[in-house]
Amino acid sequence: MKKLIGFIAFICFPFIGIAQIDSTLLYLRFPNVPPFSIINVADSSKFTKENLAKKKATLIIIFSPDCDHCQYETKELTKHIALFKKAQIILASPKGYTEVKKFYEDYNISQHPNIIMGTDPSYFFGTFFKVRSFPSIFLYDKKGKFVKSFDGNTSVQQIAEFL
């Protein structure tokens, strides 16, 4: 009897390591705006999910100030900001405060009250969204539910279609 139990355990043991792991991306498993915290470069304050306006779509853009694609996307976004008047935009970068602050000033982000730009020193967004390239764009509806993601340069008109 002991040999039979040992044999069954021996046969079943390899299958324990094959147990399925949920590889679904976090932002798809948890489809609400994530509980983030960034440092707002406008005034060095902390900006969190709780600071977001209620009943307004949220566009989260993860970028790098030294990325040509991000610079182009930001120019297009600010040029066509009227397309996003019903949305709040979070521009977050894992880069240092000084670099992001210079980008903020160079692109006159202060002229656009619906854009919050900040640093993400813990790289929370990068981990949560599993960012592979810059810019990475994630859109949430006015109820805070995930709508769509975009990788790399995406026309602002295409993004605005999903608002």
Side-chain angles (χ1 to χ4, degrees):
M1 183 66 167
K2 286 183 181 179
K3 288 182 180 182
L4 180 61
I5 292 172
F7 178 72
I8 291 171
F10 178 74
I11 295 299
C12 294
F13 184 72
F15 296 107
I16 293 171
I18 303 175
Q20 286 187 336
I21 297 170
D22 189 352
S23 61
T24 307
L25 296 170
L26 284 175
Y27 67 92
L28 296 176
R29 282 187 17 218
F30 305 103
N32 296 319
V33 174
F36 68 90
S37 176
I38 61 174
I39 306 301
N40 186 341
V41 295
D43 59 8
S44 302
S45 66
K46 188 163 119 175
F47 188 89
T48 68
K49 176 183 176 178
E50 287 73 34
N51 298 116
L52 291 173
K54 305 294 183 226
K55 298 185 180 188
K56 212 168 188 190
T58 303
L59 186 64
I60 298 172
I61 303 173
I62 295 92
F63 78 102
S64 178
D66 56 359
C67 162
D68 292 336
H69 299 286
C70 300
Q71 294 166 9
Y72 176 78
E73 194 75 40
T74 304
K75 284 178 193 171
E76 289 299 299
L77 179 69
T78 55
K79 186 182 350 178
H80 301 286
I81 197 70
L83 294 172
F84 300 93
K85 63 184 173 197
K86 294 181 182 178
Q88 53 199 332
I89 302 165
I90 305 299
L91 279 163
S93 176
K95 293 288 189 168
Y97 183 86
T98 306
E99 285 178 81
V100 178
K101 178 74 172 185
K102 182 175 179 345
F103 190 90
Y104 176 83
E105 292 165 352
D106 290 348
Y107 289 90
N108 297 311
I109 301 300
S110 64
Q111 302 299 311
H112 308 287
N114 62 329
I115 299 177
I116 300 295
M117 183 177 283
T119 61
D120 179 16
S122 66
Y123 200 55
F124 169 80
F125 282 130
T127 303
F128 184 81
F129 291 116
K130 204 165 189 167
V131 170
R132 294 175 301 220
S133 64
F134 293 125
S136 288
I137 303 166
F138 302 89
L139 180 60
Y140 290 84
D141 67 16
K142 63 184 178 181
K143 293 180 182 176
K145 298 290 183 192
F146 176 73
V147 175
K148 182 127 178 82
S149 66
F150 306 90
D151 263 342
N153 275 2
T154 307
S155 81
V156 291
Q157 290 81 4
Q158 184 180 357
I159 297 166
E161 284 177 25
F162 291 93
L163 286 177

